[in-house]
Amino acid sequence: MSDAPTHHFTNERSFAKVPGDAEAGATSPMTGEQRFQAIIDADDKIEPTDWMPDEYRKTLIRQIAQHAHSEVIGMQPEGNWISRAPSLKRKAILMAKVQDEAGHGLYLYSATETLGIGRDELVDLLHAGRHKYSSIFNYPTLNWADIGAIGWLVDGAAITNQVMLTRTSYGPYSRAMVRICKEESFHQRQGYELLLRLCRGSEEQKAMAQDAVNRWWWPSLMMFGPHDAESTHTQQSMAWKIKRVSNDDLRQQFVDMTVPQAEYLGLALPDPDLRWNEARGHYDFGDIDWAEFWNVVKGNGPMNRERMEHKRRAWDEGAWVREAAAAHAAKQQARRVAKKSA
């Protein structure tokens, strides 16, 4: 992967008061690195035309691309149930949700492109296994209640992480996340409502909801990534304000939010160590199976191969659509040029 070259753009943020010369109003040009740090320190946004360290750019490409890939791959486990939804209403809701995920992927690919990397290259990196996507999407959806569990738990965990990203230091990413979070909130509510209906239904329906929660609870906790002490990127990402809250703090926030919701549903979260800790003011919870987490991340999860095979096949089969769209755009551009020349 080749990164776009970094530049020093001189604009209104390129100048700062020289220490000791405030009375005289003198200014001195900042270096790109100084201006970058000043923007970070001021909680302002880094924009595509601003100078940025190569590692900052690479970190953003990795993170935003992984987020985009996750939105696109994440369409598969739910899209599998569109044709089997139990009613027209549920089918329409699920179609809208899957369509939203496609849109989120497009927003995020666009944000990544502002860092000087093309979309085709991003897709190639994913298909070659050099880019990752969220491990949660490598688990199967075995019954209809899984759609509710994904909405409530998976999208709930995503929102917990993504609200923080509305304040990330990179402007295009931050602005994309504002809209994405609004739509993800709808996704979480529809999932919770679906499970509520099942839990208020027959014993068989409630048992199906409990089974889904049993299978999705621990993978949802894994979504926040490894413990902070074992995370390769957390410290630097927080220093650059790409990331605002640590993995462990986000995971705790999610658990604290979710336990009362489970109690209202009448569902048990599958953790015998889950209990309120009065001294901490938080819920304690059991140890995550990190061996399972890393096994899935390395490509050995229940559905890793199937997900990527489906993604590559869809990309190849859709080549004619992309080629037709490009040809049409070129034809329209040629007509506009000819019209101006006439």
Side-chain angles (χ1 to χ4, degrees), residues 22-58:
E23 297 81 2
T27 61
S28 175
M30 283 183 171
T31 65
E33 186 173 0
Q34 288 172 332
R35 191 186 72 229
F36 171 83
Q37 193 59 52
I39 294 169
I40 296 294
D41 293 342
D43 270 343
D44 203 348
K45 302 298 181 191
I46 302 295
E47 298 297 341
T49 55
D50 289 325
W51 183 94
M52 63 187 75
D54 286 339
E55 286 305 313
Y56 178 84
R57 185 186 301 275
K58 291 176 183 178

PDB file of all heavy atoms in Angstrom, residues 22-58:
ATOM      1  N   ALA A  22       3.379  38.621  21.881  1.00  0.00           N
ATOM      2  CA  ALA A  22       1.926  38.759  21.765  1.00  0.00           C
ATOM      3  C   ALA A  22       1.529  40.219  21.649  1.00  0.00           C
ATOM      4  O   ALA A  22       0.606  40.575  20.905  1.00  0.00           O
ATOM      5  CB  ALA A  22       1.229  38.118  22.972  1.00  0.00           C
ATOM      6  N   GLU A  23       2.265  41.126  22.407  1.00  0.00           N
ATOM      7  CA  GLU A  23       1.872  42.529  22.378  1.00  0.00           C
ATOM      8  C   GLU A  23       2.080  43.127  20.991  1.00  0.00           C
ATOM      9  O   GLU A  23       1.316  43.950  20.513  1.00  0.00           O
ATOM     10  CB  GLU A  23       2.707  43.328  23.399  1.00  0.00           C
ATOM     11  CG  GLU A  23       2.483  42.901  24.844  1.00  0.00           C
ATOM     12  CD  GLU A  23       3.289  41.654  25.202  1.00  0.00           C
ATOM     13  OE1 GLU A  23       4.040  41.150  24.339  1.00  0.00           O
ATOM     14  OE2 GLU A  23       3.145  41.178  26.351  1.00  0.00           O
ATOM     15  N   ALA A  24       3.140  42.705  20.346  1.00  0.00           N
ATOM     16  CA  ALA A  24       3.432  43.263  19.037  1.00  0.00           C
ATOM     17  C   ALA A  24       2.574  42.633  17.950  1.00  0.00           C
ATOM     18  O   ALA A  24       2.523  43.138  16.830  1.00  0.00           O
ATOM     19  CB  ALA A  24       4.911  43.041  18.709  1.00  0.00           C
ATOM     20  N   GLY A  25       1.910  41.544  18.299  1.00  0.00           N
ATOM     21  CA  GLY A  25       1.044  40.880  17.321  1.00  0.00           C
ATOM     22  C   GLY A  25       1.830  40.157  16.247  1.00  0.00           C
ATOM     23  O   GLY A  25       1.319  39.863  15.177  1.00  0.00           O
ATOM     24  N   ALA A  26       3.102  39.858  16.512  1.00  0.00           N
ATOM     25  CA  ALA A  26       3.918  39.196  15.500  1.00  0.00           C
ATOM     26  C   ALA A  26       3.477  37.750  15.331  1.00  0.00           C
ATOM     27  O   ALA A  26       3.012  37.115  16.265  1.00  0.00           O
ATOM     28  CB  ALA A  26       5.385  39.245  15.922  1.00  0.00           C
ATOM     29  N   THR A  27       3.615  37.263  14.147  1.00  0.00           N
ATOM     30  CA  THR A  27       3.301  35.867  13.870  1.00  0.00           C
ATOM     31  C   THR A  27       4.475  35.198  13.191  1.00  0.00           C
ATOM     32  O   THR A  27       5.309  35.861  12.576  1.00  0.00           O
ATOM     33  CB  THR A  27       2.063  35.745  12.953  1.00  0.00           C
ATOM     34  OG1 THR A  27       2.340  36.404  11.709  1.00  0.00           O
ATOM     35  CG2 THR A  27       0.827  36.339  13.611  1.00  0.00           C
ATOM     36  N   SER A  28       4.520  33.890  13.336  1.00  0.00           N
ATOM     37  CA  SER A  28       5.588  33.125  12.708  1.00  0.00           C
ATOM     38  C   SER A  28       4.992  31.854  12.124  1.00  0.00           C
ATOM     39  O   SER A  28       4.170  31.209  12.772  1.00  0.00           O
ATOM     40  CB  SER A  28       6.649  32.762  13.754  1.00  0.00           C
ATOM     41  OG  SER A  28       7.631  31.935  13.186  1.00  0.00           O
ATOM     42  N   PRO A  29       5.374  31.489  10.903  1.00  0.00           N
ATOM     43  CA  PRO A  29       4.814  30.266  10.317  1.00  0.00           C
ATOM     44  C   PRO A  29       5.156  29.041  11.161  1.00  0.00           C
ATOM     45  O   PRO A  29       6.287  28.886  11.611  1.00  0.00           O
ATOM     46  CB  PRO A  29       5.476  30.189   8.941  1.00  0.00           C
ATOM     47  CG  PRO A  29       5.951  31.581   8.664  1.00  0.00           C
ATOM     48  CD  PRO A  29       6.291  32.168   9.993  1.00  0.00           C
ATOM     49  N   MET A  30       4.160  28.186  11.363  1.00  0.00           N
ATOM     50  CA  MET A  30       4.394  26.916  12.029  1.00  0.00           C
ATOM     51  C   MET A  30       4.894  25.895  11.026  1.00  0.00           C
ATOM     52  O   MET A  30       4.569  25.955   9.849  1.00  0.00           O
ATOM     53  CB  MET A  30       3.082  26.373  12.620  1.00  0.00           C
ATOM     54  CG  MET A  30       2.606  27.029  13.893  1.00  0.00           C
ATOM     55  SD  MET A  30       1.104  26.157  14.443  1.00  0.00           S
ATOM     56  CE  MET A  30       0.891  26.877  16.056  1.00  0.00           C
ATOM     57  N   THR A  31       5.665  24.951  11.492  1.00  0.00           N
ATOM     58  CA  THR A  31       5.953  23.787  10.668  1.00  0.00           C
ATOM     59  C   THR A  31       4.681  22.940  10.606  1.00  0.00           C
ATOM     60  O   THR A  31       3.767  23.096  11.420  1.00  0.00           O
ATOM     61  CB  THR A  31       7.089  22.956  11.270  1.00  0.00           C
ATOM     62  OG1 THR A  31       6.652  22.412  12.529  1.00  0.00           O
ATOM     63  CG2 THR A  31       8.335  23.808  11.481  1.00  0.00           C
ATOM     64  N   GLY A  32       4.649  22.023   9.652  1.00  0.00           N
ATOM     65  CA  GLY A  32       3.491  21.142   9.567  1.00  0.00           C
ATOM     66  C   GLY A  32       3.277  20.354  10.835  1.00  0.00           C
ATOM     67  O   GLY A  32       2.153  20.201  11.317  1.00  0.00           O
ATOM     68  N   GLU A  33       4.355  19.854  11.411  1.00  0.00           N
ATOM     69  CA  GLU A  33       4.243  19.055  12.631  1.00  0.00           C
ATOM     70  C   GLU A  33       3.730  19.890  13.796  1.00  0.00           C
ATOM     71  O   GLU A  33       2.888  19.438  14.586  1.00  0.00           O
ATOM     72  CB  GLU A  33       5.604  18.447  12.981  1.00  0.00           C
ATOM     73  CG  GLU A  33       5.550  17.491  14.156  1.00  0.00           C
ATOM     74  CD  GLU A  33       6.873  16.778  14.384  1.00  0.00           C
ATOM     75  OE1 GLU A  33       7.821  17.030  13.617  1.00  0.00           O
ATOM     76  OE2 GLU A  33       6.944  15.962  15.315  1.00  0.00           O
ATOM     77  N   GLN A  34       4.206  21.135  13.908  1.00  0.00           N
ATOM     78  CA  GLN A  34       3.738  22.010  14.988  1.00  0.00           C
ATOM     79  C   GLN A  34       2.255  22.332  14.836  1.00  0.00           C
ATOM     80  O   GLN A  34       1.503  22.334  15.807  1.00  0.00           O
ATOM     81  CB  GLN A  34       4.557  23.310  14.993  1.00  0.00           C
ATOM     82  CG  GLN A  34       5.981  23.142  15.473  1.00  0.00           C
ATOM     83  CD  GLN A  34       6.799  24.397  15.270  1.00  0.00           C
ATOM     84  OE1 GLN A  34       6.545  25.200  14.353  1.00  0.00           O
ATOM     85  NE2 GLN A  34       7.821  24.589  16.095  1.00  0.00           N
ATOM     86  N   ARG A  35       1.858  22.612  13.605  1.00  0.00           N
ATOM     87  CA  ARG A  35       0.446  22.939  13.391  1.00  0.00           C
ATOM     88  C   ARG A  35      -0.450  21.730  13.653  1.00  0.00           C
ATOM     89  O   ARG A  35      -1.512  21.833  14.240  1.00  0.00           O
ATOM     90  CB  ARG A  35       0.229  23.441  11.962  1.00  0.00           C
ATOM     91  CG  ARG A  35      -1.165  24.059  11.769  1.00  0.00           C
ATOM     92  CD  ARG A  35      -1.442  24.425  10.323  1.00  0.00           C
ATOM     93  NE  ARG A  35      -1.640  23.231   9.531  1.00  0.00           N
ATOM     94  CZ  ARG A  35      -1.031  22.995   8.379  1.00  0.00           C
ATOM     95  NH1 ARG A  35      -0.157  23.839   7.909  1.00  0.00           N
ATOM     96  NH2 ARG A  35      -1.283  21.891   7.708  1.00  0.00           N
ATOM     97  N   PHE A  36       0.008  20.553  13.221  1.00  0.00           N
ATOM     98  CA  PHE A  36      -0.735  19.323  13.474  1.00  0.00           C
ATOM     99  C   PHE A  36      -0.973  19.143  14.970  1.00  0.00           C
ATOM    100  O   PHE A  36      -2.100  18.902  15.416  1.00  0.00           O
ATOM    101  CB  PHE A  36       0.035  18.126  12.914  1.00  0.00           C
ATOM    102  CG  PHE A  36      -0.529  16.789  13.305  1.00  0.00           C
ATOM    103  CD1 PHE A  36      -1.591  16.233  12.598  1.00  0.00           C
ATOM    104  CD2 PHE A  36       0.000  16.087  14.387  1.00  0.00           C
ATOM    105  CE1 PHE A  36      -2.118  15.000  12.966  1.00  0.00           C
ATOM    106  CE2 PHE A  36      -0.525  14.857  14.756  1.00  0.00           C
ATOM    107  CZ  PHE A  36      -1.587  14.314  14.039  1.00  0.00           C
ATOM    108  N   GLN A  37       0.087  19.287  15.755  1.00  0.00           N
ATOM    109  CA  GLN A  37      -0.035  19.089  17.198  1.00  0.00           C
ATOM    110  C   GLN A  37      -0.915  20.167  17.827  1.00  0.00           C
ATOM    111  O   GLN A  37      -1.675  19.899  18.770  1.00  0.00           O
ATOM    112  CB  GLN A  37       1.342  19.074  17.862  1.00  0.00           C
ATOM    113  CG  GLN A  37       1.306  18.571  19.308  1.00  0.00           C
ATOM    114  CD  GLN A  37       0.741  17.169  19.415  1.00  0.00           C
ATOM    115  OE1 GLN A  37       1.182  16.253  18.731  1.00  0.00           O
ATOM    116  NE2 GLN A  37      -0.267  17.005  20.280  1.00  0.00           N
ATOM    117  N   ALA A  38      -0.830  21.392  17.298  1.00  0.00           N
ATOM    118  CA  ALA A  38      -1.664  22.478  17.830  1.00  0.00           C
ATOM    119  C   ALA A  38      -3.145  22.190  17.593  1.00  0.00           C
ATOM    120  O   ALA A  38      -3.988  22.458  18.451  1.00  0.00           O
ATOM    121  CB  ALA A  38      -1.268  23.805  17.188  1.00  0.00           C
ATOM    122  N   ILE A  39      -3.455  21.644  16.432  1.00  0.00           N
ATOM    123  CA  ILE A  39      -4.846  21.296  16.122  1.00  0.00           C
ATOM    124  C   ILE A  39      -5.328  20.192  17.051  1.00  0.00           C
ATOM    125  O   ILE A  39      -6.440  20.253  17.589  1.00  0.00           O
ATOM    126  CB  ILE A  39      -4.980  20.864  14.646  1.00  0.00           C
ATOM    127  CG1 ILE A  39      -4.688  22.047  13.725  1.00  0.00           C
ATOM    128  CG2 ILE A  39      -6.381  20.312  14.362  1.00  0.00           C
ATOM    129  CD1 ILE A  39      -4.533  21.653  12.258  1.00  0.00           C
ATOM    130  N   ILE A  40      -4.498  19.180  17.266  1.00  0.00           N
ATOM    131  CA  ILE A  40      -4.853  18.085  18.168  1.00  0.00           C
ATOM    132  C   ILE A  40      -5.071  18.619  19.583  1.00  0.00           C
ATOM    133  O   ILE A  40      -6.072  18.308  20.241  1.00  0.00           O
ATOM    134  CB  ILE A  40      -3.752  16.999  18.173  1.00  0.00           C
ATOM    135  CG1 ILE A  40      -3.617  16.338  16.792  1.00  0.00           C
ATOM    136  CG2 ILE A  40      -4.035  15.953  19.256  1.00  0.00           C
ATOM    137  CD1 ILE A  40      -4.818  15.541  16.358  1.00  0.00           C
ATOM    138  N   ASP A  41      -4.145  19.450  20.050  1.00  0.00           N
ATOM    139  CA  ASP A  41      -4.231  19.987  21.415  1.00  0.00           C
ATOM    140  C   ASP A  41      -5.461  20.859  21.607  1.00  0.00           C
ATOM    141  O   ASP A  41      -6.023  20.921  22.707  1.00  0.00           O
ATOM    142  CB  ASP A  41      -2.975  20.802  21.751  1.00  0.00           C
ATOM    143  CG  ASP A  41      -1.722  19.930  21.842  1.00  0.00           C
ATOM    144  OD1 ASP A  41      -1.875  18.702  21.989  1.00  0.00           O
ATOM    145  OD2 ASP A  41      -0.611  20.485  21.757  1.00  0.00           O
ATOM    146  N   ALA A  42      -5.887  21.535  20.533  1.00  0.00           N
ATOM    147  CA  ALA A  42      -7.042  22.434  20.615  1.00  0.00           C
ATOM    148  C   ALA A  42      -8.365  21.696  20.421  1.00  0.00           C
ATOM    149  O   ALA A  42      -9.427  22.321  20.420  1.00  0.00           O
ATOM    150  CB  ALA A  42      -6.912  23.539  19.575  1.00  0.00           C
ATOM    151  N   ASP A  43      -8.310  20.369  20.273  1.00  0.00           N
ATOM    152  CA  ASP A  43      -9.525  19.569  20.007  1.00  0.00           C
ATOM    153  C   ASP A  43     -10.216  20.010  18.727  1.00  0.00           C
ATOM    154  O   ASP A  43     -11.451  19.931  18.618  1.00  0.00           O
ATOM    155  CB  ASP A  43     -10.505  19.634  21.177  1.00  0.00           C
ATOM    156  CG  ASP A  43     -10.248  18.533  22.183  1.00  0.00           C
ATOM    157  OD1 ASP A  43      -9.553  17.563  21.840  1.00  0.00           O
ATOM    158  OD2 ASP A  43     -10.739  18.646  23.336  1.00  0.00           O
ATOM    159  N   ASP A  44      -9.433  20.499  17.778  1.00  0.00           N
ATOM    160  CA  ASP A  44      -9.965  20.843  16.460  1.00  0.00           C
ATOM    161  C   ASP A  44      -9.843  19.614  15.569  1.00  0.00           C
ATOM    162  O   ASP A  44      -9.416  18.551  16.022  1.00  0.00           O
ATOM    163  CB  ASP A  44      -9.173  22.026  15.895  1.00  0.00           C
ATOM    164  CG  ASP A  44      -9.953  22.802  14.838  1.00  0.00           C
ATOM    165  OD1 ASP A  44     -10.997  22.299  14.397  1.00  0.00           O
ATOM    166  OD2 ASP A  44      -9.498  23.900  14.438  1.00  0.00           O
ATOM    167  N   LYS A  45     -10.227  19.747  14.304  1.00  0.00           N
ATOM    168  CA  LYS A  45     -10.213  18.621  13.384  1.00  0.00           C
ATOM    169  C   LYS A  45      -9.069  18.732  12.373  1.00  0.00           C
ATOM    170  O   LYS A  45      -8.830  19.810  11.812  1.00  0.00           O
ATOM    171  CB  LYS A  45     -11.533  18.536  12.603  1.00  0.00           C
ATOM    172  CG  LYS A  45     -12.764  18.397  13.484  1.00  0.00           C
ATOM    173  CD  LYS A  45     -12.733  17.119  14.308  1.00  0.00           C
ATOM    174  CE  LYS A  45     -13.990  16.990  15.160  1.00  0.00           C
ATOM    175  NZ  LYS A  45     -13.850  15.906  16.160  1.00  0.00           N
ATOM    176  N   ILE A  46      -8.402  17.628  12.145  1.00  0.00           N
ATOM    177  CA  ILE A  46      -7.446  17.511  11.056  1.00  0.00           C
ATOM    178  C   ILE A  46      -8.237  17.274   9.778  1.00  0.00           C
ATOM    179  O   ILE A  46      -9.115  16.402   9.731  1.00  0.00           O
ATOM    180  CB  ILE A  46      -6.470  16.342  11.285  1.00  0.00           C
ATOM    181  CG1 ILE A  46      -5.721  16.510  12.616  1.00  0.00           C
ATOM    182  CG2 ILE A  46      -5.510  16.211  10.112  1.00  0.00           C
ATOM    183  CD1 ILE A  46      -4.813  17.715  12.671  1.00  0.00           C
ATOM    184  N   GLU A  47      -7.958  18.061   8.738  1.00  0.00           N
ATOM    185  CA  GLU A  47      -8.653  17.929   7.462  1.00  0.00           C
ATOM    186  C   GLU A  47      -7.712  17.341   6.409  1.00  0.00           C
ATOM    187  O   GLU A  47      -6.487  17.364   6.589  1.00  0.00           O
ATOM    188  CB  GLU A  47      -9.204  19.288   7.016  1.00  0.00           C
ATOM    189  CG  GLU A  47     -10.231  19.896   7.978  1.00  0.00           C
ATOM    190  CD  GLU A  47     -11.499  19.068   8.125  1.00  0.00           C
ATOM    191  OE1 GLU A  47     -11.771  18.223   7.249  1.00  0.00           O
ATOM    192  OE2 GLU A  47     -12.228  19.259   9.122  1.00  0.00           O
ATOM    193  N   PRO A  48      -8.259  16.833   5.316  1.00  0.00           N
ATOM    194  CA  PRO A  48      -7.412  16.164   4.310  1.00  0.00           C
ATOM    195  C   PRO A  48      -6.270  17.017   3.778  1.00  0.00           C
ATOM    196  O   PRO A  48      -5.217  16.478   3.403  1.00  0.00           O
ATOM    197  CB  PRO A  48      -8.404  15.807   3.200  1.00  0.00           C
ATOM    198  CG  PRO A  48      -9.717  15.664   3.903  1.00  0.00           C
ATOM    199  CD  PRO A  48      -9.694  16.700   4.990  1.00  0.00           C
ATOM    200  N   THR A  49      -6.443  18.334   3.715  1.00  0.00           N
ATOM    201  CA  THR A  49      -5.387  19.192   3.177  1.00  0.00           C
ATOM    202  C   THR A  49      -4.342  19.585   4.218  1.00  0.00           C
ATOM    203  O   THR A  49      -3.354  20.248   3.881  1.00  0.00           O
ATOM    204  CB  THR A  49      -6.002  20.475   2.586  1.00  0.00           C
ATOM    205  OG1 THR A  49      -6.810  21.109   3.584  1.00  0.00           O
ATOM    206  CG2 THR A  49      -6.838  20.161   1.359  1.00  0.00           C
ATOM    207  N   ASP A  50      -4.551  19.206   5.481  1.00  0.00           N
ATOM    208  CA  ASP A  50      -3.586  19.508   6.529  1.00  0.00           C
ATOM    209  C   ASP A  50      -2.411  18.543   6.472  1.00  0.00           C
ATOM    210  O   ASP A  50      -2.571  17.375   6.106  1.00  0.00           O
ATOM    211  CB  ASP A  50      -4.231  19.400   7.917  1.00  0.00           C
ATOM    212  CG  ASP A  50      -5.204  20.535   8.197  1.00  0.00           C
ATOM    213  OD1 ASP A  50      -4.944  21.667   7.747  1.00  0.00           O
ATOM    214  OD2 ASP A  50      -6.228  20.289   8.868  1.00  0.00           O
ATOM    215  N   TRP A  51      -1.241  19.041   6.863  1.00  0.00           N
ATOM    216  CA  TRP A  51      -0.104  18.142   7.039  1.00  0.00           C
ATOM    217  C   TRP A  51      -0.434  17.178   8.171  1.00  0.00           C
ATOM    218  O   TRP A  51      -1.064  17.541   9.170  1.00  0.00           O
ATOM    219  CB  TRP A  51       1.145  18.942   7.392  1.00  0.00           C
ATOM    220  CG  TRP A  51       2.384  18.091   7.523  1.00  0.00           C
ATOM    221  CD1 TRP A  51       3.296  17.835   6.549  1.00  0.00           C
ATOM    222  CD2 TRP A  51       2.823  17.369   8.688  1.00  0.00           C
ATOM    223  NE1 TRP A  51       4.284  17.006   7.029  1.00  0.00           N
ATOM    224  CE2 TRP A  51       4.022  16.699   8.339  1.00  0.00           C
ATOM    225  CE3 TRP A  51       2.319  17.224   9.983  1.00  0.00           C
ATOM    226  CZ2 TRP A  51       4.727  15.904   9.235  1.00  0.00           C
ATOM    227  CZ3 TRP A  51       3.007  16.419  10.877  1.00  0.00           C
ATOM    228  CH2 TRP A  51       4.201  15.770  10.504  1.00  0.00           C
ATOM    229  N   MET A  52      -0.019  15.923   8.013  1.00  0.00           N
ATOM    230  CA  MET A  52      -0.197  14.933   9.082  1.00  0.00           C
ATOM    231  C   MET A  52       0.953  13.946   9.027  1.00  0.00           C
ATOM    232  O   MET A  52       1.513  13.675   7.945  1.00  0.00           O
ATOM    233  CB  MET A  52      -1.535  14.204   8.943  1.00  0.00           C
ATOM    234  CG  MET A  52      -1.688  13.389   7.666  1.00  0.00           C
ATOM    235  SD  MET A  52      -3.372  12.721   7.451  1.00  0.00           S
ATOM    236  CE  MET A  52      -4.267  14.197   6.957  1.00  0.00           C
ATOM    237  N   PRO A  53       1.354  13.382  10.164  1.00  0.00           N
ATOM    238  CA  PRO A  53       2.412  12.364  10.156  1.00  0.00           C
ATOM    239  C   PRO A  53       1.991  11.145   9.343  1.00  0.00           C
ATOM    240  O   PRO A  53       0.806  10.792   9.304  1.00  0.00           O
ATOM    241  CB  PRO A  53       2.568  11.998  11.641  1.00  0.00           C
ATOM    242  CG  PRO A  53       1.971  13.148  12.393  1.00  0.00           C
ATOM    243  CD  PRO A  53       0.876  13.688  11.532  1.00  0.00           C
ATOM    244  N   ASP A  54       2.943  10.513   8.711  1.00  0.00           N
ATOM    245  CA  ASP A  54       2.637   9.320   7.926  1.00  0.00           C
ATOM    246  C   ASP A  54       1.958   8.248   8.769  1.00  0.00           C
ATOM    247  O   ASP A  54       1.046   7.562   8.301  1.00  0.00           O
ATOM    248  CB  ASP A  54       3.916   8.744   7.300  1.00  0.00           C
ATOM    249  CG  ASP A  54       4.411   9.575   6.126  1.00  0.00           C
ATOM    250  OD1 ASP A  54       3.596  10.331   5.559  1.00  0.00           O
ATOM    251  OD2 ASP A  54       5.604   9.474   5.781  1.00  0.00           O
ATOM    252  N   GLU A  55       2.405   8.094  10.022  1.00  0.00           N
ATOM    253  CA  GLU A  55       1.815   7.055  10.876  1.00  0.00           C
ATOM    254  C   GLU A  55       0.376   7.385  11.243  1.00  0.00           C
ATOM    255  O   GLU A  55      -0.445   6.477  11.413  1.00  0.00           O
ATOM    256  CB  GLU A  55       2.662   6.857  12.138  1.00  0.00           C
ATOM    257  CG  GLU A  55       3.968   6.116  11.883  1.00  0.00           C
ATOM    258  CD  GLU A  55       3.747   4.770  11.194  1.00  0.00           C
ATOM    259  OE1 GLU A  55       2.864   4.009  11.640  1.00  0.00           O
ATOM    260  OE2 GLU A  55       4.459   4.485  10.207  1.00  0.00           O
ATOM    261  N   TYR A  56       0.072   8.667  11.384  1.00  0.00           N
ATOM    262  CA  TYR A  56      -1.318   9.080  11.639  1.00  0.00           C
ATOM    263  C   TYR A  56      -2.189   8.702  10.443  1.00  0.00           C
ATOM    264  O   TYR A  56      -3.272   8.126  10.593  1.00  0.00           O
ATOM    265  CB  TYR A  56      -1.354  10.596  11.879  1.00  0.00           C
ATOM    266  CG  TYR A  56      -2.736  11.194  12.121  1.00  0.00           C
ATOM    267  CD1 TYR A  56      -3.312  11.180  13.384  1.00  0.00           C
ATOM    268  CD2 TYR A  56      -3.435  11.812  11.080  1.00  0.00           C
ATOM    269  CE1 TYR A  56      -4.559  11.759  13.614  1.00  0.00           C
ATOM    270  CE2 TYR A  56      -4.682  12.382  11.297  1.00  0.00           C
ATOM    271  CZ  TYR A  56      -5.238  12.353  12.561  1.00  0.00           C
ATOM    272  OH  TYR A  56      -6.477  12.931  12.787  1.00  0.00           O
ATOM    273  N   ARG A  57      -1.688   8.997   9.253  1.00  0.00           N
ATOM    274  CA  ARG A  57      -2.419   8.660   8.034  1.00  0.00           C
ATOM    275  C   ARG A  57      -2.616   7.138   7.914  1.00  0.00           C
ATOM    276  O   ARG A  57      -3.716   6.660   7.635  1.00  0.00           O
ATOM    277  CB  ARG A  57      -1.660   9.187   6.807  1.00  0.00           C
ATOM    278  CG  ARG A  57      -2.390   8.995   5.482  1.00  0.00           C
ATOM    279  CD  ARG A  57      -1.488   9.407   4.319  1.00  0.00           C
ATOM    280  NE  ARG A  57      -1.063  10.789   4.425  1.00  0.00           N
ATOM    281  CZ  ARG A  57      -1.766  11.826   3.987  1.00  0.00           C
ATOM    282  NH1 ARG A  57      -2.935  11.635   3.406  1.00  0.00           N
ATOM    283  NH2 ARG A  57      -1.299  13.056   4.103  1.00  0.00           N
ATOM    284  N   LYS A  58      -1.557   6.386   8.164  1.00  0.00           N
ATOM    285  CA  LYS A  58      -1.647   4.928   8.057  1.00  0.00           C
ATOM    286  C   LYS A  58      -2.610   4.354   9.091  1.00  0.00           C
ATOM    287  O   LYS A  58      -3.362   3.409   8.807  1.00  0.00           O
ATOM    288  CB  LYS A  58      -0.260   4.311   8.222  1.00  0.00           C
ATOM    289  CG  LYS A  58       0.680   4.586   7.069  1.00  0.00           C
ATOM    290  CD  LYS A  58       2.065   4.016   7.341  1.00  0.00           C
ATOM    291  CE  LYS A  58       3.040   4.341   6.211  1.00  0.00           C
ATOM    292  NZ  LYS A  58       4.399   3.830   6.497  1.00  0.00           N
TER     293      LYS A  58
END
